[in-house]
Amino acid sequence: MPVYWVREPGIRLRPVPELSCCLVYRRHPPALCGLNLTSWLALTLCDGRSEDEIADAYAAAVGARGPGTGRPILAAALQQLEALRLIRKKTGERMP
Amino acid sequence: MIDPRELLKDLTAPAPIAMEMATEVRTDGGLAFQILQAPAWTMPNGVAVVAQWECQLTRDRLLELRTFLAKPDAGTGLQPEAAIDAALRSIGVGHNLGVFVLEGISVLPRVRFMFAYAPQLRLDDRAVNRRIYRMLLNPAGPVEVQAVAALKYIRTMWKHGVNQTEGRWMMLSQTDPSNPEENPFISAGL
C-alpha cells in the first residue's frame, strides 16, 4: 500500500523570509509553531508526495552541504512535524 | 507564497527545527499577538508609576513560569497575579499590571514583570516601600501569604534570568523635567 505525506487541513503558513523561518498556525489544538528553513522546506514538500519523492526534492534543494542534509535528517524533520500535528501519513490511492 | 528553496540557494542547510511556541503567559494557548480582554484586576486605572523587572529566560524557565502563573492556589482560589494584585491593593500602594512576554524564535524570550504604584493616599516613595517591605516580612491573611510567595518566586525567576534590568517609570505628564528639585541635571542643562 503506498504511503505519502500530507499537511494537516487548516494549518496556515506565515513565511518570515528575513529571518529564514516560517510561522505556522495550527487550528486543532490551537498553537503557533516556529519552523526554521529546512523544517519549512520539509513541510512544503508534504503535498501528497511519497517519502522517496520528498527525499529527492529535499536533497535537490539543500544540496550536499550543511547539518540539514541526509535522509536520516529529513526523517527526523518529518517526525518533528508529525509530532506537532502539522503533517500526517496517508495510505492508499493518492488523490489526483 | 515564498518558496524556501529560493532562500536555500544562498544558505547552508541548517539542521531542521520545528517547535511549538509558548504564547502569552496567562493563557493556555492561542496566537502570541492575539488581543485578549484583560481581567478587571489588571485595568491600569490611575497609574502614576510603573515598576518593571525585565529579564530573558530560557524556554524551559518560561514554560515553568507560565505553569506557575496559570495555576490557582488551592486555598484562595486565586492565580498568583491576582493574589499579588489583591495584596498590593489591600496595603494601598497600587496594583499588579501583570507578566508579559516577548518571544522570538532565535532569541531568548524577554519577560517583563510590571506593577503600578498608584497609592490611594498621598504617600511618598519611602512610605510605599515601607508598606511593601512590611508585607514581605509579615503577610496578613492567606491572600497576602500567597502574594508574598508569588513575589518571591517571580523575583527569584528574574534574578536567575539573563540581562536583568529593573526600573520605575513615571508618566511624563506627572513629572516636571524643568523642576530642579526633581531633575537637577536636566534643569541645569546637562
Side-chain angles (χ1 to χ4, degrees):
Chain A
M1 188 72 76
V3 177
Y4 50 97
W5 288 95
V6 294
R7 290 189 286 276
E8 287 285 356
I11 65 168
R12 304 283 289 270
L13 276 65
R14 169 66 170 85
V16 191
E18 62 272 28
L19 294 176
S20 299
C21 68
C22 183
L23 299 176
V24 182
Y25 174 63
R26 184 188 67 204
R27 193 188 299 169
H28 299 299
L32 192 65
C33 300
L35 277 57
N36 76 348
L37 197 47
T38 39
S39 284
W40 174 16
L41 171 64
L43 180 67
T44 60
L45 295 175
C46 292
D47 54 2
R49 300 175 205 229
S50 68
E51 196 157 322
D52 286 340
E53 291 168 334
I54 292 172
D56 291 343
Y58 184 88
V62 303
R65 293 180 300 113
T69 58
R71 187 71 181 253
I73 295 292
L74 172 62
L78 294 174
Q79 273 184 0
Q80 274 187 335
L81 296 172
E82 186 181 29
L84 290 171
R85 299 193 220 179
L86 300 180
I87 60 172
R88 64 177 144 159
K89 275 181 188 165
K90 292 195 81 170
T91 55
E93 290 303 312
R94 190 163 16 187
M95 296 293 287
Chain B
M1 176 65 76
I2 298 159
D3 191 328
R5 281 173 282 207
E6 291 299 315
L7 299 173
L8 277 163
K9 287 178 181 173
D10 302 321
L11 298 170
T12 301
I17 298 173
M19 62 182 189
E20 192 172 316
M21 297 171 70
T23 52
E24 203 270 339
V25 294
R26 282 168 296 170
T27 62
D28 290 326
L31 291 172
F33 40 80
Q34 186 178 1
I35 305 299
L36 300 172
Q37 185 176 5
W41 50 267
T42 64
M43 292 301 287
N45 52 322
V47 171
V49 174
V50 172
Q52 175 180 294
W53 310 339
E54 181 173 317
C55 68
Q56 288 176 278
L57 297 176
T58 63
R59 179 177 165 77
D60 287 346
R61 300 285 284 181
L62 181 73
L63 293 176
E64 183 186 327
L65 174 62
R66 177 185 172 187
T67 301
F68 174 78
L69 294 175
K71 186 178 180 184
D73 180 79
T76 65
L78 296 174
Q79 289 176 311
E81 286 176 288
I84 294 171
D85 184 68
L88 292 178
R89 288 178 190 275
S90 75
I91 62 172
V93 300
H95 46 274
N96 184 36
L97 289 176
V99 181
F100 300 83
V101 62
L102 174 67
E103 194 188 21
I105 293 176
S106 56
V107 298
L108 286 178
R110 185 175 294 278
V111 179
R112 287 181 181 171
F113 307 94
M114 299 177 78
F115 312 91
Y117 291 134
Q120 295 156 359
L121 304 172
R122 189 169 179 80
L123 297 174
D124 63 19
D125 55 346
R126 292 186 176 202
V128 168
N129 289 340
R130 278 197 301 272
R131 288 189 180 203
I132 295 172
Y133 180 68
R134 278 201 300 269
M135 182 183 75
L136 290 173
L137 294 185
N138 294 301
V143 173
E144 285 190 18
V145 168
Q146 184 194 354
V148 168
L151 283 167
K152 287 178 178 174
Y153 177 92
I154 64 176
R155 183 75 179 181
T156 303
M157 183 71 78
W158 171 79
K159 282 172 70 177
H160 289 92
V162 178
N163 296 327
Q164 308 103 315
T165 61
E166 181 178 19
R168 292 185 177 187
W169 298 73
M170 190 166 189
M171 287 181 71
L172 184 56
S173 61
Q174 297 187 30
T175 186
D176 181 3
S178 66
N179 182 347
E181 291 183 343
E182 294 180 6
N183 298 284
F185 285 92
I186 295 176
S187 296
L190 298 174

